[in-house]
Amino acid sequence: MKTNFTFSIARTLFFAFGTVFFTLSSVGQTTQTVAVTNYSFTPKEITITAGDKVIWNNNGGSHNVNGDKSTFASNPESFGNNLGTGWTYEFVFNTAGTYNYQCDPHASFGMVGKVIVNPKTVDPMKLTVNFSAMTPHVGQTIWLAVIEQDTKKEIGRVKTKATVSFSIEVPGIETGKSYWVDFFADHNKNGVYNAPPADHAWRLPLNNVTGNSVINFVHNTTFTDIAWKTKLTVRYSAMTPHLGQKLTLYVRDFATGMDMDMVIVPQVATAAFDVSSWEIKPGKSYKIDFYADHNKNGVYNPPPIDHAWRIMLNNVVSDTIISFAHNTTFTDILSTTSSENLAARPDHISLYPNPASQLIELKIPHNYKTIQSLKVYSISGKLIDQKVLSGNTESFRYDVSNFKNGLYFMEINTGNHKDVLKFLKQ
């Protein structure tokens, strides 16, 4: 791929005290010039973009430029030169922020200046995938996703109908990063992903991005099971009461009560935003539970202290968008007394308190044998702790005081049962 650079030079001439100062624009950097005279910097204040250069030309007296952090502590970085006459000094400002500076011997005469450095704006780079010879899939649905190889983060997905030749564009790729480009044709036309050969699926690498990128794909039968994930998007609006607060969303399997995903928005920045999860599956139903940390104490408290809601998602078909507008019809989403909570049923092991900060007590039903072992997993499925036990019949205490705050799963194995319970450490 070839990138063409166009050089342009824009000159603006200003005459002040017999000195000419001008602005030069070239590829990637702008140079601005400041005239240094007996008691002033002209212009006194300039605004540039990170990466731009400023040149000071001293043609009138003994002066210096002092933008050192020891003098101006709020400056993002230091710059400046020594006192003297007839000098030229230049500095490239790579860090955004506001920089103050002065001429040391004449600061009291008002010989001060300011440079405002705005962040560099970079147009998002784009991936274009050109498809050809797609005759076997004309009229079928094509799904495509671009996924970061290192983080497994999906940066975009597109759904379209196939023709013999067509293109798909996905913005948002970044320099230096590598991606997987996953796509499939819904060959059996059932509306969901099925592993090849039922559906036809491919994975292509996009390594070490350097700019806008193009992949040319010609239909073939070298398929890959891409394990396509169905996407849930919760589209929030009117969330003004929770600006600046943390929002936590849980995706809970309705049949088992298991938490399949937890997504945290550290700080709600706008009244309208999206939260996404890739942990729903076609044919299954879920409880979509979420809460805003309204009292800002960092942990969940039942409404109305915190504001919490539940939305039912029944019989998932494919990618799903749920629209939610803020309201005051709250639900206690982590209630341990709910009839939906298996942990509270008398024929299952019960766990309390939940949430817990120090100790969790397990109560064992009479129809259970003794606990043989237990394992604790994080929300991401990582094994945190495991114990082999014996001789515990009716109760057992488990210490969670050293756990980080968050949601965990506890798998308890007895001689005749295996229960999986969830608990919140706070």
Side-chain angles (χ1 to χ4, degrees):
M1 181 177 60
K2 184 177 179 181
T3 303
N4 296 317
F5 293 94
T6 301
F7 290 80
S8 64
I9 300 179
R11 295 179 175 87
T12 305
L13 301 181
F14 298 86
F15 293 86
F17 304 102
T19 301
V20 178
F21 60 94
F22 52 88
T23 298
L24 296 176
S25 293
S26 62
V27 175
Q29 186 183 71
T30 296
T31 298
Q32 294 207 34
T33 301
V34 177
V36 182
T37 58
N38 285 331
Y39 298 107
S40 66
F41 297 107
T42 307
K44 188 173 184 177
E45 179 179 313
I46 58 174
T47 300
I48 62 175
T49 300
D52 290 351
K53 181 192 295 184
V54 177
I55 299 176
W56 287 264
N57 289 320
N58 175 19
N59 295 314
S62 180
H63 306 289
N64 74 324
V65 171
N66 176 12
D68 197 271
K69 287 178 66 67
S70 61
T71 304
F72 299 98
S74 63
N75 282 4
E77 56 184 330
S78 294
F79 65 99
N81 66 344
N82 295 322
L83 189 67
T85 60
W87 49 256
T88 296
Y89 169 69
E90 63 183 49
F91 185 80
V92 177
F93 292 85
N94 289 313
T95 304
T98 298
Y99 297 76
N100 291 290
Y101 67 93
Q102 67 182 29
C103 170
D104 288 332
H106 303 120
S108 60
F109 293 88
M111 195 170 182
V112 297
K114 180 183 294 185
V115 180
I116 300 171
V117 183
N118 292 324
K120 182 178 292 186
T121 56
V122 180
D123 292 333
M125 287 178 287
K126 177 179 63 179
L127 166 66
T128 303
V129 183
N130 295 319
F131 293 83
S132 61
M134 294 294 286
T135 304
H137 303 296
V138 170
Q140 297 174 12
T141 300
I142 303 292
W143 287 91
L144 180 144
V146 180
I147 303 163
E148 248 184 68
Q149 292 184 20
D150 289 341
T151 65
K152 306 300 187 292
K153 176 185 177 183
E154 182 179 299
I155 68 163
R157 66 169 54 192
V158 177
K159 174 186 178 184
T160 190
K161 289 288 185 181
T163 56
V164 175
S165 299
F166 61 97
S167 297
I168 291 177
E169 294 183 349
V170 180
I173 58 176
E174 297 180 42
T175 301
K177 293 188 176 182
S178 297
Y179 301 88
W180 295 117
V181 183
D182 288 0
F183 53 96
F184 77 94
D186 184 17
H187 196 53
N188 62 3
K189 299 183 181 180
N190 68 347
V192 299
Y193 173 77
N194 301 104
D199 286 333
H200 293 183
W202 300 266
R203 168 170 288 169
L204 302 177
L206 176 63
N207 295 323
N208 195 23
V209 168
T210 58
N212 290 330
S213 302
V214 176
I215 293 177
N216 295 312
F217 174 78
V218 181
H219 183 272
N220 59 69
T221 55
T222 307
F223 305 134
T224 301
D225 183 0
I226 59 176
W228 182 267
K229 291 187 174 183
T230 304
K231 182 180 180 181
L232 166 69
T233 302
V234 181
R235 186 150 291 164
Y236 292 90
S237 62
M239 295 293 285
T240 305
H242 302 296
L243 293 178
Q245 298 171 16
K246 182 178 75 171
L247 183 135
T248 304
L249 178 143
Y250 303 96
V251 178
R252 293 178 165 145
D253 188 300
F254 181 75
T256 66
M258 294 284 289
D259 284 29
M260 309 310 298
D261 198 9
M262 178 174 70
V263 184
I264 296 175
V265 178
Q267 194 172 70
V268 174
T270 60
F273 58 95
D274 290 352
V275 173
S276 297
S277 171
W278 288 261
E279 297 301 331
I280 60 173
K281 297 183 183 300
K284 305 194 75 172
S285 297
Y286 300 88
K287 293 179 290 187
I288 310 303
D289 290 353
F290 50 93
Y291 78 94
D293 186 17
H294 196 52
N295 64 355
K296 297 185 178 182
N297 68 346
V299 297
Y300 174 78
N301 301 106
I305 300 172
D306 286 334
H307 293 183
W309 300 267
R310 170 169 293 160
I311 298 174
M312 294 304 303
L313 176 58
N314 296 316
N315 195 22
V316 170
V317 176
S318 61
D319 281 12
T320 303
I321 297 176
I322 295 174
S323 295
F324 174 81
H326 182 272
N327 59 70
T328 55
T329 307
F330 305 134
T331 300
D332 184 359
I333 61 173
L334 291 182
S335 171
T336 58
T337 60
S338 170
S339 59
E340 297 175 330
N341 194 333
L342 294 178
R345 287 170 50 178
D347 59 340
H348 283 70
I349 296 174
S350 60
L351 176 155
Y352 67 93
N354 190 9
S357 59
Q358 298 293 327
L359 293 173
I360 284 177
E361 185 160 350
L362 304 173
K363 285 290 188 180
I364 315 301
H366 293 300
N367 62 329
Y368 275 50
K369 296 182 180 180
T370 60
I371 299 177
Q372 295 181 350
S373 65
L374 65 82
K375 296 179 181 179
V376 178
Y377 297 89
S378 68
I379 184 67
S380 64
K382 180 181 178 181
L383 181 63
I384 303 297
D385 188 27
Q386 57 182 332
K387 295 183 182 296
V388 177
L389 306 167
S390 62
N392 299 292
T393 55
E394 295 184 356
S395 66
F396 173 72
R397 288 187 174 181
Y398 182 75
D399 188 354
V400 297
S401 59
N402 292 324
F403 283 34
K404 293 181 179 179
N405 289 350
L407 191 67
Y408 296 87
F409 298 114
M410 180 180 289
E411 179 187 288
I412 306 163
N413 289 279
T414 69
N416 58 343
H417 292 85
K418 181 173 77 172
D419 284 1
V420 178
L421 309 177
K422 60 178 177 286
F423 66 89
L424 186 67
K425 165 61 170 53
Q426 63 179 35

